[in-house]
Amino acid sequence: MEIENWAARQGEKFADVQIDPEEIEEALRSVKRQAQDDSLQISAPIIDGYELGQLAVSTRFVPGFAIVELGGEIDVYTSPFLREALADLVMQGQYRHIIDFSRLDFLDSTGLNVIVADLKAVRKHGGQVLLVCHNVRSQEILKILRITNLVNIFPVYGTVDEAVAAGSET
């Protein structure tokens, strides 16, 4: 019903659109069934690491830092899972993050927005976000960070050890 009202408000461009509310309801039921499928479980604790769709997120801790290792792709479909993982860290009181892009194959603007949102969240607590790009695979990510000028906002290091050392000095 809500979709029909929205279409009606859009004027003549939707005048020929026929909307069957039953089809919409069936589509919603189908999506809900898929979301309940075991392959889409997102309740695994972040510290144990978990893999969702095309994105692998694994977190480990060293003194003073949560190291978030990413693999696969961060796009419009997977970025909510990364957002949740980083928000979980903040809720756990972890305000110093090192995000390792070494195994990441793809990063789009939604992923960049998640990283920027994480920086804003940790800065509220005096925290920081450091990035690691050190191999051929992550050089494409580094290129994106340069094009978007985010290298001037995020410190970028060649290794996790370099990031830990530099972050410990601040």
Side-chain angles (χ1 to χ4, degrees):
M1 205 55 148
E2 185 177 67
I3 292 174
E4 289 174 302
N5 292 337
W6 176 82
R9 291 190 307 265
Q10 300 305 308
E12 293 180 14
K13 64 182 177 181
F14 290 101
D16 296 333
V17 176
Q18 298 295 321
I19 298 174
D20 181 0
E22 282 301 313
E23 287 182 28
I24 294 170
E25 288 299 319
E26 178 54 36
L28 290 172
R29 283 192 294 272
S30 174
V31 168
K32 288 177 183 175
R33 281 191 302 270
Q34 289 175 2
Q36 292 172 351
D37 183 330
D38 288 343
S39 65
L40 297 177
Q41 290 291 327
I42 60 172
S43 60
I46 185 171
I47 57 174
D48 293 335
Y50 56 94
E51 193 164 326
L52 302 165
Q54 297 290 331
L55 175 64
V57 179
S58 179
T59 304
R60 61 187 173 94
F61 300 92
V62 297
F65 291 95
I67 300 170
V68 181
E69 297 170 334
L70 305 174
E73 302 175 356
I74 302 175
D75 57 22
V76 69
Y77 302 107
T78 60
S79 61
F81 302 117
L82 176 59
R83 182 181 312 275
E84 181 179 330
L86 294 171
D88 285 349
L89 287 173
V90 173
M91 289 181 67
Q92 294 171 19
Q94 299 289 332
Y95 307 125
R96 299 175 79 202
H97 303 168
I98 295 174
I99 301 176
D100 186 355
F101 293 120
S102 301
R103 298 179 316 156
L104 198 65
D105 296 318
F106 179 80
L107 174 70
D108 72 3
S109 61
T110 57
L112 292 175
N113 286 332
V114 170
I115 304 299
V116 170
D118 184 48
L119 179 64
K120 289 179 181 179
V122 300
R123 278 190 175 168
K124 289 178 184 176
H125 303 280
Q128 64 188 135
V129 176
L130 311 174
L131 307 179
V132 174
C133 295
H134 69 82
N135 57 20
V136 173
R137 180 184 281 176
S138 60
Q139 290 308 303
E140 289 300 314
I141 306 302
L142 185 56
K143 187 176 182 181
I144 292 169
L145 295 171
R146 285 185 179 131
I147 290 169
T148 58
N149 216 22
L150 288 174
V151 291
N152 293 326
I153 297 172
F154 292 97
V156 181
Y157 298 93
T159 67
V160 170
D161 289 340
E162 288 175 13
V164 169
S168 296
E169 295 173 3
T170 59

